[in-house]
Amino acid sequence: RKEVEQDPGPFNVPEGATVAFNCTYSNSASQSFFWYRQDCRKEPKLLMSVYSSGNEDGRFTAQLNRASQYISLLIRDSKLSDSATYLCVVNDPGSQGNLIFGKGTKLSVKP
Amino acid sequence: EAGVAQSPRYKIIEKRQSVAFWCNPISGHATLYWYQQILGQGPKLLIQFQNNGVVDDSQLPKDRFSAERLKGVDSTLKIQPAKLEDSAVYLCASSLPGAGETQYFGPGTRLLVL
């Protein structure tokens, strides 16, 4: 079965905190990995792609462990505006660009 | 650049009624997707088009759902007849062709079936 599993959440953290989200995927043949962000009652938007060597975009760091089929997202110095649901996404191998979304982890950053 | 457009934004119908959703993708995006997102879940792919052809409709409940993209640009998704469990947000996304291309989502249509 094609699955992406995420931390259930919700995560409630104070401003300035560091928070980490984890995700596992079931199909070892997946080759593309992403984190999407979805604000309340809005559409998902690409936050960042995840590369094998790990990658960083400002306060956001994504890591991939292919052997463990594990993806992580680290947010440093949390801002109120980081409050959203974070969706772990992997490609469906054998399809033509289809994506499999996790259920998402809700983050709430408090003042 | 204009994003993915969808209409209507909200729809309330009674069970067994029919409903249709419309999507206009980003100009030049050959690939179009329809997703269903139930509250508390991630988006689930219903159907993928490449130009006007269906690439993947394996998760589309074909007894009640249908979709078309006749001219390879905008698309419609129809539900007939609707069931209570169809209450969800229906998201349209588009991308350039090819695996790994970023998908851009429209604002979605929020459907409530009573």
Side-chain angles (χ1 to χ4, degrees):
Chain A
R1 183 179 172 185
K2 298 175 284 189
E3 282 187 349
V4 176
E5 301 285 347
Q6 293 187 240
D7 283 347
F11 284 62
N12 298 304
V13 303
E15 271 187 293
T18 295
V19 60
F21 304 138
N22 303 315
C23 165
T24 58
Y25 59 96
S26 60
N27 195 323
S28 59
S30 290
Q31 294 292 324
S32 302
F33 310 92
F34 311 92
W35 284 100
Y36 274 69
R37 171 192 168 129
Q38 187 169 25
D39 291 291
C40 187
R41 303 180 74 83
K42 299 285 190 180
E43 71 273 21
K45 292 184 180 179
L46 180 66
L47 176 67
M48 59 196 301
S49 300
V50 186
Y51 302 115
S52 295
S53 55
N55 48 298
E56 189 174 303
D57 182 1
R59 297 180 294 108
F60 298 83
T61 301
Q63 296 280 352
L64 168 65
N65 184 323
R66 286 186 185 271
S68 302
Q69 294 177 209
Y70 171 94
I71 306 162
S72 66
L73 177 68
L74 183 75
I75 305 176
R76 291 183 301 278
D77 189 22
S78 299
K79 310 292 185 190
L80 296 177
S81 56
D82 294 334
S83 297
T85 296
Y86 291 83
L87 299 162
C88 180
V89 185
V90 305
N91 76 297
D92 181 0
S95 73
Q96 294 185 38
N98 292 351
L99 299 177
I100 304 170
F101 286 76
K103 291 184 178 181
T105 301
K106 186 173 182 179
L107 172 66
S108 182
V109 182
K110 306 292 187 183
Chain B
E1 179 182 286
V4 177
Q6 289 189 246
S7 69
R9 293 296 307 276
Y10 305 92
K11 190 75 176 177
I12 301 174
I13 61 172
E14 294 187 349
K15 60 183 179 184
R16 291 188 288 274
Q17 285 188 322
S18 301
V19 64
F21 313 127
W22 174 82
C23 171
N24 188 258
I26 292 172
S27 178
H29 280 192
T31 308
L32 184 147
Y33 308 82
W34 283 102
Y35 289 87
Q36 179 193 60
Q37 187 173 24
I38 293 171
L39 188 65
Q41 305 282 322
K44 185 187 87 170
L45 180 70
L46 292 174
I47 189 167
Q48 178 194 4
F49 290 95
Q50 182 84 0
N51 297 306
N52 62 348
V54 174
V55 175
D56 186 345
D57 63 357
S58 57
Q59 298 187 83
L60 187 74
K62 298 180 186 63
D63 57 334
R64 298 184 301 106
F65 286 65
S66 63
E68 59 183 17
R69 193 184 184 200
L70 294 176
K71 297 183 179 179
V73 180
D74 54 351
S75 175
T76 56
L77 175 70
K78 297 179 182 177
I79 308 175
Q80 179 179 12
K83 292 186 175 181
L84 297 178
E85 58 261 36
D86 298 332
S87 295
V89 178
Y90 290 84
L91 293 160
C92 179
S94 71
S95 73
L96 294 170
E101 291 291 341
T102 300
Q103 294 187 20
Y104 297 87
F105 285 82
T109 296
R110 197 169 295 270
L111 173 68
L112 178 61
V113 182
L114 301 175

